[in-house]
Amino acid sequence: MKKYFLLCSLLLVIGCQTYKQKSPNIVFFLVDDHAFKALSAYEGSLIETPNLDRIANNGMRFDAACVTNAICAPSRTVILTGTHSHINGVVDNGSRFDSTQPTFPLLMQEAGYQTALIGKWHLKSNPVGFDYWDILIGQGQYYAPEFMKSVNGSEPVKRILEGYCTDLTTDLTIDWLGEKRNKDKPFLLLCHHKAPHRSWMPGPNQLELFADTEFPEPETLFDDWKGRASPASTQEMTISDHMYLWHDLMVPPEEGTTLEGPDKWAHANVDRMSDSQRTAWDETFDPENDAFIKSDLKGDDLTRWKYQRYMKNYLRCIKGIDENVGRLLDYLEENDLNENTIVVYMSDQGFFLGEHGWYDKRFMYEPCLRIPLLISWPGITDKGSNTEALVQNLDLAQTILAMAGIDAPTRMQGESLVPILKGETQTCRDALYYHYYEFPGVHNVQRHEGVRTNQYKIIHYYEIDEWELFDFKTDPTEMKNLYNDPQYADIQNDLKRKLDSLKIKYEVPRT
């Protein structure tokens, strides 16, 4: 009898271990517009991000992770559905997500996972496939943001929460983990931060950071865009001419000034602050703003000032993300959840931090095409590893499903990254497909599609029939358009063949 009891106990332990291995918890951080130059796990970072580095140190850093369409709503839909924009229907920020489509959270919910989404959603329709969701309404606000919550399909409830958005998103996430989840079920938890999206309003804990820091200017800050396709010079996303002093750079207008563009509603952002928050804000910015107004800067000097103000606020927002990711990682460790929890950190797209004189995204150039992607999978992925495999946000749905032991539908178009995470292979694909649609639209970036390999990139602005070809190994800042260069004729033809082949593979309609 004693032997029988011991055998049963052993089988129970083995069964529990097997269950844990087959059903890991998953925490998926998604942030908005995080450039890989602002994460210290990557070479050349402008700042230190020790908590984000914890994920990289405990798992794998992806060095060639890219998006399919560098703009918010389309990227988020690609991540959810594992399909390109022309398949899922969200080609631009004006599109409404059809929530009847299969998504990885819905499939995991059906397979027995408890699913939760907290933070930024930005897809117009309400979330489906989540037992619990508490989302920002629309783009969301940095201070005193409005959230909308639903539990187990209940009627959504809206309310304004006092505080700072990044902190509040983390508070709500930790509260769900500790108080609201079913602790007998594995969970999928999506923690989606608004930051560091424009207008880069730092939180109270980060206001004083970088006060005396002078950030290095990118070598292309004063790019004149000569020698490349015309969309590079007709865009409307320059730091010099298209940033707004109040909305983007925290310089209030003088009384009687006629406001234009986003400056018309910039007051609404600061009006959401509490008295103490507004006092701290004014104490931070007023002395610098007074000095700026008295200096009456012009030309390149004005652009340099704008760049420094932009960088300080953008990177302050990143430091707020890092601090809050650390809070959640600490919670997992303190509550013995870390050993059976996969952690994914990524951005919905990259962002220009002054390269080519720009902010924003949209182009197929490296600063916004590439994204930070970190994955920690305890007991499976080697700690501190990295890969040059060419991967996309398209791959996340199938990867997460595979991690959970759930079959992905054939509709999904990505590739599971599990073999890479297990160290079984270092390749995923030899080329990736990109397509940007939002024209005419904000920032005036022409529609384009293209292919990127591990060394070359070809871009076609198909409505005006202009081409670009870059060798970003020898020309990492993408300043020299090699299209029609006789020395690159074979490479150009090969890239065009790859483009045609991928369009057929992904069932891209004719352009």
Side-chain angles (χ1 to χ4, degrees):
M1 186 70 179
K2 186 175 182 180
K3 289 182 179 179
Y4 176 77
F5 177 77
L6 290 173
L7 177 61
C8 290
S9 298
L10 179 61
L11 290 173
L12 180 61
V13 170
I14 293 172
C16 290
Q17 290 175 342
T18 302
Y19 176 79
K20 285 186 177 180
Q21 290 168 359
K22 289 184 178 179
S23 302
N25 304 312
I26 299 172
V27 173
F28 184 8
F29 292 101
L30 183 65
V31 295
D32 201 315
D33 297 341
H34 191 169
F36 61 88
K37 274 179 56 177
L39 201 162
S40 52
Y42 289 89
E43 185 177 354
S45 176
L46 294 167
I47 55 170
E48 294 296 318
T49 53
N51 291 299
L52 297 178
D53 292 357
R54 288 165 63 182
I55 304 173
N57 294 337
N58 285 322
M60 181 173 286
R61 184 192 73 215
F62 288 79
D63 293 340
C66 299
V67 295
T68 63
N69 184 355
I71 187 170
C72 298
S75 177
R76 290 164 184 271
T77 308
V78 168
I79 292 166
L80 285 169
T81 65
T83 60
H84 278 276
S85 299
H86 64 276
I87 298 292
N88 62 53
V90 180
V91 296
D92 55 32
N93 275 341
S95 304
R96 181 182 180 87
F97 175 54
D98 175 5
S99 58
T100 64
Q101 300 178 67
T103 64
F104 76 87
L106 178 60
L107 293 168
M108 293 179 73
Q109 183 188 49
E110 292 174 348
Y113 268 77
Q114 189 175 21
T115 56
L117 163 68
I118 298 168
K120 186 168 180 178
W121 176 241
H122 194 48
L123 295 181
K124 299 186 184 296
S125 58
N126 286 343
V128 172
F130 297 95
D131 301 300
Y132 178 97
W133 52 265
D134 201 350
I135 60 172
L136 293 164
I137 296 175
Q139 187 62 251
Q141 303 95 3
Y142 274 108
Y143 282 84
E146 188 174 11
F147 279 82
M148 181 167 64
K149 179 171 68 173
S150 174
V151 182
N152 296 323
S154 65
E155 187 68 22
V157 176
K158 297 180 182 180
R159 75 265 191 238
I160 294 173
L161 301 181
E162 295 300 320
Y164 181 67
C165 188
T166 305
D167 301 334
L168 290 168
T169 299
T170 305
D171 292 343
L172 293 170
T173 301
I174 291 175
D175 179 65
W176 181 84
L177 278 171
E179 304 298 332
K180 296 182 172 60
R181 69 182 173 93
N182 180 346
K183 298 182 181 179
D184 294 325
K185 298 177 69 174
F187 63 79
L188 168 70
L189 172 58
L190 276 54
C191 178
H192 289 190
H193 286 290
K194 170 185 172 63
H197 193 278
R198 188 184 185 191
S199 58
W200 316 297
M201 295 180 72
N205 295 337
Q206 291 79 41
L207 277 175
E208 296 181 5
L209 295 176
F210 312 128
D212 300 318
T213 302
E214 187 84 2
F215 289 103
E217 296 173 2
E219 59 183 283
T220 59
L221 180 61
F222 297 102
D223 188 1
D224 60 10
W225 316 299
K226 289 179 180 177
R228 276 152 289 163
S230 62
S233 58
T234 58
Q235 46 62 42
E236 296 175 354
M237 57 198 315
T238 63
I239 292 172
S240 59
D241 296 331
H242 300 113
M243 272 190 169
Y244 290 82
L245 281 176
W246 194 9
H247 179 263
D248 297 327
L249 298 169
M250 319 309 166
V251 182
E254 295 182 12
E255 190 172 343
T257 301
T258 300
L259 301 178
E260 298 180 352
D263 276 352
K264 293 178 181 178
W265 59 81
H267 67 87
N269 294 331
V270 293
D271 287 350
R272 303 185 73 88
M273 297 177 183
S274 67
D275 290 343
S276 60
Q277 289 169 342
R278 185 60 187 269
T279 297
W281 184 272
D282 290 343
E283 288 175 351
T284 297
F285 290 109
D286 282 357
E288 294 179 8
N289 289 342
D290 290 344
F292 164 70
I293 292 168
K294 290 176 183 177
S295 66
D296 194 27
L297 298 174
K298 306 290 185 184
D300 289 353
D301 289 337
L302 177 57
T303 300
R304 287 191 168 98
W305 185 91
K306 289 180 176 180
Y307 169 76
Q308 292 297 330
R309 171 61 67 88
Y310 164 42
M311 281 299 90
K312 289 180 181 182
N313 286 335
Y314 177 93
L315 295 171
R316 286 164 174 161
C317 289
I318 295 291
K319 290 293 281 187
I321 292 286
D322 184 71
E323 177 184 308
N324 278 278
V325 167
R327 288 176 58 205
L328 189 47
L329 295 179
D330 288 345
Y331 181 90
L332 294 175
E333 291 178 5
E334 291 164 3
N335 290 273
D336 298 322
L337 289 169
N338 56 309
E339 290 302 320
N340 194 39
T341 299
I342 296 167
V343 177
V344 179
Y345 182 92
M346 71 181 298
S347 179
D348 56 358
Q349 61 263 323
F351 211 68
F352 288 108
L353 301 184
E355 299 93 346
H356 307 295
W358 297 338
Y359 65 99
D360 206 68
K361 52 250 186 180
R362 301 165 197 269
F363 278 101
M364 197 185 165
Y365 300 147
E366 289 293 281
C368 53
L369 174 69
R370 278 184 60 197
I371 53 171
L373 173 59
L374 311 172
I375 300 179
S376 169
W377 191 356
I380 301 294
T381 301
D382 288 342
K383 293 184 177 183
S385 56
N386 67 286
T387 177
E388 291 283 347
L390 200 57
V391 307
Q392 288 188 283
N393 56 347
L394 183 71
D395 303 324
L396 266 293
Q398 280 154 287
T399 300
I400 291 174
L401 289 172
M403 288 170 159
I406 301 169
D407 292 334
T410 56
R411 179 179 189 266
M412 291 186 174
Q413 298 176 304
E415 304 286 342
S416 170
L417 305 182
V418 166
I420 296 173
L421 290 162
K422 289 183 175 181
E424 297 171 355
T425 182
Q426 277 290 303
T427 60
C428 183
R429 52 173 66 84
D430 65 356
L432 58 80
Y433 176 71
Y434 179 91
H435 198 146
Y436 174 79
Y437 297 86
E438 193 169 289
F439 181 85
V442 177
H443 297 302
N444 201 45
V445 176
Q446 288 278 347
R447 297 185 182 198
H448 57 284
E449 64 181 358
V451 160
R452 183 196 191 274
T453 69
N454 278 318
Q455 182 167 356
Y456 301 104
K457 178 187 302 179
I458 196 165
I459 306 171
H460 187 207
Y461 301 92
Y462 50 87
E463 292 188 328
I464 56 175
D465 196 26
E466 293 189 41
W467 293 81
E468 291 176 318
L469 190 157
F470 297 105
D471 179 345
F472 49 83
K473 295 295 184 184
T474 61
D475 176 27
T477 56
E478 297 173 303
M479 296 288 283
K480 186 176 182 182
N481 182 7
L482 301 170
Y483 191 77
N484 284 336
D485 184 327
Q487 296 183 52
Y488 287 82
D490 290 343
I491 292 169
Q492 178 174 307
N493 291 332
D494 181 57
L495 290 171
K496 284 189 171 183
R497 284 192 292 269
K498 289 183 185 298
L499 177 58
D500 290 339
S501 176
L502 287 177
K503 290 176 71 174
I504 293 171
K505 175 180 178 180
Y506 295 130
E507 302 176 354
V508 182
R510 292 180 179 271
T511 54

